[in-house]
């Protein structure tokens, strides 16, 4: 065994940054060498944060976060998992009372470097670009200093493997730490990296030359203090460069003139999912959950893993017994023997799970990969870790509201009539205003009331950066959200954005920001003459009025502005509809729908002095429906809205349709009118099903369209009728096939409505009344109703 007395120079332990085999080997090597100091690849500004790794509240995966003080959004992460060799080295040093220090290029240079060369390498959300053994590039490319190589892939190819991950598992992860020399693996790996660097130079990572020069200077400084009893834990690619004999002057010359920014550092929670290579992390791995399992269960890992898989599948109501686990273990071991592997790896266990537990299906296997192979583990950091004031206020609110950040996506149902749920809603809305999308609002199931909200929550590590960036607006969530909303209102380029902001301020309950937003809104509305902009702004403004009752927020000023917007739309909409092309007409049609819904809501809370807005809007619709200069899609929609409101008799609607579908109307205009009347998701399909007159008019017109014009109208008709539900389309087809007089499935009765008699059937109607009374909660008034209720 190599001892400290036998060794000259520092002990260089080259590792894969997130490898359980490397982590176990580092622990064994440190136990054997017993160094007086441990040097670790990482930013030296984090030296003061190392003692927090021993805190009982620290739970990896975590990351060191560095951000520029003047630009909090410019940041970098250095993630560490429980199975990361660097984390093992930190923990070993703390447990043995040995100094631990970071020796990589300071974050103050790293962040400034990213700022000066954004095109070459974009600012990283994770660790700065690392020539890590996990990076993937083709191993057979021509050697060049400009080519970023993957040393792992090169070594795997030399060993005859076509899969670099499988080679790494065989030679490192499946190799137990036994009685052999614990330092031998690091010597072999150093020789391999030295051979690769002779061929590939810096491997395309020019910044590594600067980083390695700085690391050599730090190692020399540690040697002066502790002698050669120093252990260095770094990426294996750097080992040959760190053992290279260079002069202090040459290394300092490489560092001369590096840009600098002022930087702060702290610990932040991390997730297994963000360790995955699929997330874009440069030193990522394919299977962090699997590696975490290998590190925590070195004995019988296959049996324990397949037991986890069985538990997950059982939780998803799949039938998986102990016999399935036993057979899966046997199959995985057999596959490993057939493939010449020392132990079953992830590939063998996955194949065994697919064949034995998933019946050959990849659907449940995708769940196993998502939940176990990658995983949703979220780390924790101590409460006393350095943080910006805004982060501390958020932590306090999260604890008070019992709203714990989780990596696993989940839905949260809120009842705004409850104080705790209302406070949770305010917090999530305020964070969204600050650009911290911890929660995403989704449609509530089973309720359309304004007192209920549904959120999809998922905490991502980069949200910590968003919080640090939002800290410039204030030291508390409320103050920051208020300040940012006021600034956003002033800088918003469009009226619709200001109205959307007003709505979000009401949802977030920001009473101090609302006056500023409303003043900007009133000014923009008074100056904006574009009817399209006004129509875009009105719906969000009117929706905001509905939040007053539930949230207790005053909306009087909001109602006044909304009513003023509506009046300006009423005046400007008819002239704006003249001379439009097809795309502009379709856009205005959507605005008409939105304004119609908004006026319906606004009529429930009218502003004083503005009269009956609903009646005035119906007048506008009548004007639109009768003007020949208005595009057909808008005229058709105006007629349909009047019909739905009961302001237009069915006979009159049929007459207007008949006029439009007469031979004198160009087929394209007629098709556009039909699209406006029965298209756009307005329930027009059911209208045609239940009104034989309208269906007959459409059918007669369509069969009479000249062949040369049919190609032109076909896209419009297809867009209209393809939006119907399959059942509606099928029913319409059946009615058309049966022909006039038989479309109700029986002989024509003269009612004109398919499926209905000329007069109501009193006996059948009476049979329905008990059920209707029960649904409405009415008192039972006869024995029959009591029986039904029972």
């Amino acid at each position: 065994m190599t001892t400290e007395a036998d060794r000259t120079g520092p002990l260089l332990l080259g590792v894969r940054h997130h490898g359980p085999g490397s982590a176990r080997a580092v622990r064994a090597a440190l136990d054997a060498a017993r160094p007086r100091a441990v040097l670790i690849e990482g930013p030296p500004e984090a030296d003061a944060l190392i003692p927090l790794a021993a805190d009982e509240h620290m739970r990896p995966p975590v990351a060191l976060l560095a951000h520029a003080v003047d630009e909090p959004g410019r940041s970098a992460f250095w993630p560490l998992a429980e199975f990361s060799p660097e984390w093992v080295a930190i923990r070993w040093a703390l447990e043995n009372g040995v100094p631990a220090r970071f020796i990589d290029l300071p974050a103050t240079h790293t962040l400034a470097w990213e700022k000066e060369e954004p095109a070459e390498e974009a600012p990283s959300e994770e660790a700065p670009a690392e020539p890590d053994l996990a990076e993937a590039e083709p191993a057979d490319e021509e050697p060049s200093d400009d080519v970023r190589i993957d040393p792992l892939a090169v070594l795997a190819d030399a060993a005859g493997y076509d899969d670099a991950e499988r080679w790494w598992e065989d030679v490192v992860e499946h190799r137990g730490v036994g009685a052999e020399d614990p330092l031998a693996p690091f010597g072999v790996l150093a020789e391999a990296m030295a051979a690769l660097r002779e061929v590939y130079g810096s491997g395309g990572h020019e910044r590594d030359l600067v980083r390695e020069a700085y690391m050599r200077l730090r190692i020399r400084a540690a040697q002066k203090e502790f002698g050669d009893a120093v252990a260095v834990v770094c990426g294996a690619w750097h080992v040959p460069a760190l053992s290279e004999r260079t002069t202090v002057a040459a290394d300092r010359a490489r560092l001369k003139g590096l840009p600098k920014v002022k930087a702060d550092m702290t610990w932040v929670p991390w997730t297994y999912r963000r360790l995955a290579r699929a997330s874009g992390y440069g030193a990522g791995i394919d299977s962090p959950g699997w590696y975490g399992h290998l590190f925590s269960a070195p004995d019988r890992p296959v049996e324990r893993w397949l037991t986890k898989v069985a538990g997950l599948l059982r939780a998803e109501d799949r039938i998986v017994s102990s016999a399935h686990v036993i057979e899966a273990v046997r199959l995985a071991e057999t596959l490993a023997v057939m493939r010449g592997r020392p132990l079953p790896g992830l590939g063998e266990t996955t194949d065994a799970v697919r064949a034995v537990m998933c019946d050959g299906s990849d659907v449940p296997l995708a769940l196993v990969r998502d939940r176990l192979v990658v995983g949703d583990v979220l780390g924790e950091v101590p409460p006393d870790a350095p943080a910006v004031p805004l982060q501390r206020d958020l932590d306090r609110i999260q604890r008070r509201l019992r709203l714990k950040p989780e990596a696993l996506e989940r839905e949260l149902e809120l009842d705004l009539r409850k104080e705790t749920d209302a406070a949770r809603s305010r917090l999530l809305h305020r964070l969204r205003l600050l650009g911290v999308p911890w929660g995403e609002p989704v449609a509530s199931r089973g309720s359309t009331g304004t007192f209920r909200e549904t959120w999809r929550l998922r905490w991502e590590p980069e949200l910590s950066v968003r919080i640090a960036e939002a800290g410039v607006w204030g030291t508390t969530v409320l103050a920051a959200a208020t300040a940012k909303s006021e600034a956003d209102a002033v800088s918003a380029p469009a009226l619709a954005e200001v109205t959307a902001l007003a709505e979000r301020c009401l949802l977030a309950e920001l009473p101090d920001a609302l006056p500023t937003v409303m003043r900007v809104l009133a000014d923009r509305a008074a100056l904006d003459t574009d009817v399209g902009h006004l129509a875009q702004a009105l719906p969000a403004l009117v929706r905001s009025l509905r939040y007053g009752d539930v949230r207790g927020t005053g909306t009087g000023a909001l109602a006044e502005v909304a009513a003023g917007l509506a009046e300006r739309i009423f005046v400007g909409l008819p002239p704006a509809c003249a001379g439009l092309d097809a795309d502009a007409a379709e856009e205005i049609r959507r605005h008409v729908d939105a304004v119609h819904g908004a006026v319906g809501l606004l009529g429930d809370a009218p502003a004083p002095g503005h009269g009956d807005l609903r009646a005035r809007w119906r007048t506008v619709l009548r004007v639109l429906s009768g003007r020949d200069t208005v595009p057909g899609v808008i005229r058709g929609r105006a007629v349909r809205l009047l019909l739905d409101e009961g302001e237009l008799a069915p006979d009159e609607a049929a007459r207007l349709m008949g006029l439009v579908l007469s031979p004198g109307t160009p087929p394209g205009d007629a098709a556009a009118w039909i699209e406006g009347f029965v298209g756009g998701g307005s329930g027009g399909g059911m209208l045609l099903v239940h009104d034989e007159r309208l269906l007959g008019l459409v059918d007669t017109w369509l069969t009479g369209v000249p062949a040369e014009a049919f190609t032109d109208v076909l896209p419009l008709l297809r867009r209209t009728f393809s939006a119907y539900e399959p059942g509606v389309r099928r029913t319409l087809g059946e009615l058309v096939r049966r022909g006039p007089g038989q479309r109700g499935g029986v002989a024509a009765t003269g009612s004109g409505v398919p499926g209905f008699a000329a007069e109501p059937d009193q006996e059948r109607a009476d049979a329905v009344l008990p059920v209707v009374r029960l649904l409405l909660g009415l008192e039972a008034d006869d024995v029959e109703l009591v029986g039904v209720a029972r």
Side-chain angles (χ1 to χ4, degrees), residues 27-314:
R27 186 162 53 196
L30 293 177
D31 284 336
R34 312 300 298 181
R36 295 174 57 197
V38 178
L39 307 182
I40 303 164
E41 183 181 330
E45 294 97 333
D47 284 352
L49 303 176
I50 289 178
L52 289 174
D55 193 288
E56 62 178 0
H57 296 101
M58 180 74 85
R59 297 283 186 275
V62 293
L64 290 166
L65 164 63
H67 65 86
V69 174
D70 297 330
E71 294 181 75
R74 184 169 301 283
S75 59
F77 291 100
W78 285 260
L80 297 171
E82 183 183 10
F83 50 84
S84 299
E86 296 88 345
W87 179 260
V88 170
I90 290 173
R91 294 286 301 179
W92 185 92
L94 293 173
E95 291 166 2
N96 290 273
V98 173
R101 296 173 184 173
F102 289 112
I103 61 169
D104 203 351
L105 192 70
T108 183
H109 297 306
T110 301
L111 296 175
W113 211 342
E114 298 289 355
K115 180 178 180 179
E116 289 199 346
E117 302 178 11
E120 182 175 320
E121 239 178 280
S124 173
E125 287 189 340
E126 295 87 20
E130 185 68 43
D132 181 82
L133 296 183
E135 290 187 341
E137 287 288 338
D140 55 352
E141 293 193 9
E142 293 295 326
S144 168
D145 284 345
D146 297 330
V147 177
R148 297 169 70 87
I149 70 161
D150 175 11
L152 177 59
V154 175
L155 294 176
D157 184 64
Y161 282 74
D162 58 358
D163 186 342
E165 287 288 332
R166 186 160 56 86
W167 175 81
W168 181 262
E169 277 194 349
D170 286 352
V171 301
V172 177
E173 305 306 338
H174 293 163
R175 174 188 173 276
V177 180
E180 71 275 11
D181 184 358
L183 304 183
F186 297 102
V188 173
L189 196 56
E191 291 178 10
M193 292 299 111
L196 287 177
R197 290 194 70 141
E198 286 181 6
V199 177
Y200 292 97
S202 66
H205 300 266
E206 293 300 325
R207 293 187 181 183
D208 286 348
L209 301 177
V210 177
R211 296 172 56 206
E212 289 160 355
Y214 187 85
M215 286 192 272
R216 285 192 293 266
L217 292 175
R218 296 276 291 183
I219 291 172
R220 291 192 187 101
Q223 284 180 288
K224 287 183 180 180
E225 185 175 355
F226 302 103
D228 285 342
V230 174
V232 180
V233 179
C234 62
W237 182 255
H238 302 302
V239 170
L242 298 187
S243 59
E244 181 182 349
R245 294 187 178 277
T246 61
T247 64
V248 173
D251 287 341
R252 288 178 175 169
R254 280 195 177 275
L255 302 173
K256 188 175 181 181
L258 287 180
K260 297 176 65 175
V261 297
K262 187 177 180 181
D264 276 347
M265 296 208 67
T266 186
W267 289 105
V268 295
W270 204 249
T271 67
Y272 274 1
R273 194 170 299 279
R274 295 296 294 171
L275 280 174
R277 183 182 297 157
S279 71
Y281 171 38
I285 52 180
D286 287 334
S287 48
W290 166 253
Y291 275 9
H293 170 78
L294 290 180
F295 185 75
S296 60
D299 63 311
R300 305 178 72 83
V302 176
E303 291 87 342
R304 297 178 187 274
W305 176 257
L306 292 174
T307 301
K308 280 185 180 180
V309 173
L312 173 64
L313 294 177
R314 286 171 188 158

